[in-house]
Amino acid sequence: MPEEIKRELLAIADALDGLLHWETELSGDGFPSVKVGEVLRPAAPRAETRDAVAPPPAAAAPALADQAARPVPAQAVSEPPATVSRGVAVPSRPIDPPPALHVLQAQAAVCTACGLHSGRTTSVFARGNPEAELVFVGEGPGYHEDQAGEPFVGQAGQLLDKMIVAMGYGRDDVYICNVVKCRPPDNRTPLAEEAAACEPYLRGQLANVNPRAIVALGKCATEALGCMSDGQKRWRGVWSEYAGIPVMPTYHPAFLLRSPQFKRDVWEDLQVVMTKLGRPR
């Protein structure tokens, strides 16, 4: 084989290997990052009322555990949802989370259940409306989120905000959280044991918000919610369920930043969610 062709084939192989690694890290089309069924187990079927409170992490301090165990009704929405005019959402006033979510956030801030705590600047719990009908679940905070203490504030977050506005919501009308609350080194995909350590927090968030639908952003979130089976190849755009709540898996916004050709696929998934929630498409 001519040397020039050999060098070209090696360059293509290196490029493909790099692409596969990148897709895996960003929860695109790479290999699953956590084992199905090992991370997030539903604690109970979805209740009709919005006062469910999930049990706190086992390692929590007794005083916090006692407080979190008491059912606390979510506060009533004091203002109507955001309105949309000419494609721009008008954000509604942020709603103060119920005490149960405050307790979980305080526990996450001092959690040492896995090694991720050693590299965090601050834990990243959630943002948005704790009474939202729609929840977005990502995989973990990046550098900007670790500095700000809020999920999805970097470039991927800006793209997610545009997606939310396109669905007819304001930025603070939905609830956004991650599988893990501390930044993984080099923004890598969370490991199975790290996701399992954060499972009580995510379970508690979803139980208290009790949304009508969940959008899982990326394969890691889809797996952590128990929405993939062994050997399942197609995962994006396939309805699943967590504790009685419909879950729509789609690509992570960070993946779309590098592969914008898949934005149409994500928009199709979000339109299906809009139909499920009775919102105009």
Side-chain angles (χ1 to χ4, degrees):
M1 179 183 297
E3 191 66 27
E4 182 177 351
I5 296 178
K6 184 183 297 184
R7 286 198 300 270
E8 183 175 350
L9 290 175
L10 288 174
I12 293 174
D14 288 341
L16 290 175
D17 181 70
L19 177 61
L20 178 60
H21 174 73
W22 162 71
E23 286 182 335
T24 302
E25 290 298 315
L26 292 183
S27 299
D29 288 328
F31 297 115
S33 55
V34 295
K35 294 182 180 180
V36 177
E38 283 188 355
V39 181
L40 193 56
R41 300 286 186 183
R46 179 173 181 262
E48 292 301 321
T49 58
R50 302 177 65 85
D51 60 357
V53 177
L64 292 179
D66 291 342
Q67 184 177 355
R70 303 189 190 104
V72 181
Q75 297 176 358
V77 180
S78 58
E79 295 186 6
T83 57
V84 179
S85 176
R86 297 183 183 178
V88 179
V90 180
S92 38
R93 184 178 63 82
I95 298 173
D96 190 45
L101 285 177
H102 278 302
V103 171
L104 287 172
Q105 185 171 5
Q107 292 169 351
V110 296
C111 180
T112 59
C114 76
L116 292 183
H117 79 276
S118 61
R120 73 181 174 220
T121 301
T122 182
S123 64
V124 181
F125 192 68
R127 79 173 216 216
N129 182 359
E131 297 178 348
E133 67 175 3
L134 179 61
V135 168
F136 290 84
V137 178
E139 58 179 46
Y143 170 78
H144 297 288
E145 291 76 16
D146 175 68
Q147 298 296 308
E150 183 175 295
F152 286 94
V153 296
Q155 284 187 310
Q158 294 170 19
L159 178 56
L160 178 59
D161 286 345
K162 293 179 181 179
M163 294 158 56
I164 292 169
V165 170
M167 297 178 73
Y169 293 97
R171 182 181 186 272
D172 293 323
D173 289 334
V174 299
Y175 189 83
I176 302 174
C177 58
N178 283 312
V179 171
V180 298
K181 313 309 180 191
C182 299
R183 179 194 178 196
D186 301 318
N187 295 351
R188 62 163 171 74
T189 301
L191 303 176
E193 55 268 26
E194 295 164 349
C198 257
E199 178 268 333
Y201 304 119
L202 181 57
R203 172 162 43 90
Q205 287 175 299
L206 297 178
N208 279 279
V209 177
N210 195 25
R212 294 177 57 199
I214 298 171
V215 175
L217 298 171
K219 189 173 290 185
C220 174
T222 303
E223 294 168 336
L225 290 169
C227 296
M228 287 186 67
S229 57
D230 290 323
Q232 180 178 343
K233 293 185 177 180
R234 184 187 172 190
W235 58 276
R236 183 204 63 80
V238 180
W239 278 112
S240 189
E241 189 175 280
Y242 168 75
I245 305 172
V247 178
M248 172 57 71
T250 194
Y251 293 134
H252 195 284
F255 176 72
L256 299 181
L257 291 175
R258 294 290 299 270
S259 298
Q261 67 271 24
F262 293 108
K263 287 183 179 180
R264 180 181 296 274
D265 295 329
V266 173
W267 178 234
E268 290 176 356
D269 296 340
L270 296 182
Q271 286 184 306
V272 173
V273 174
M274 292 163 63
T275 298
K276 172 76 76 173
L277 297 177
R279 303 183 68 86
R281 295 176 55 158

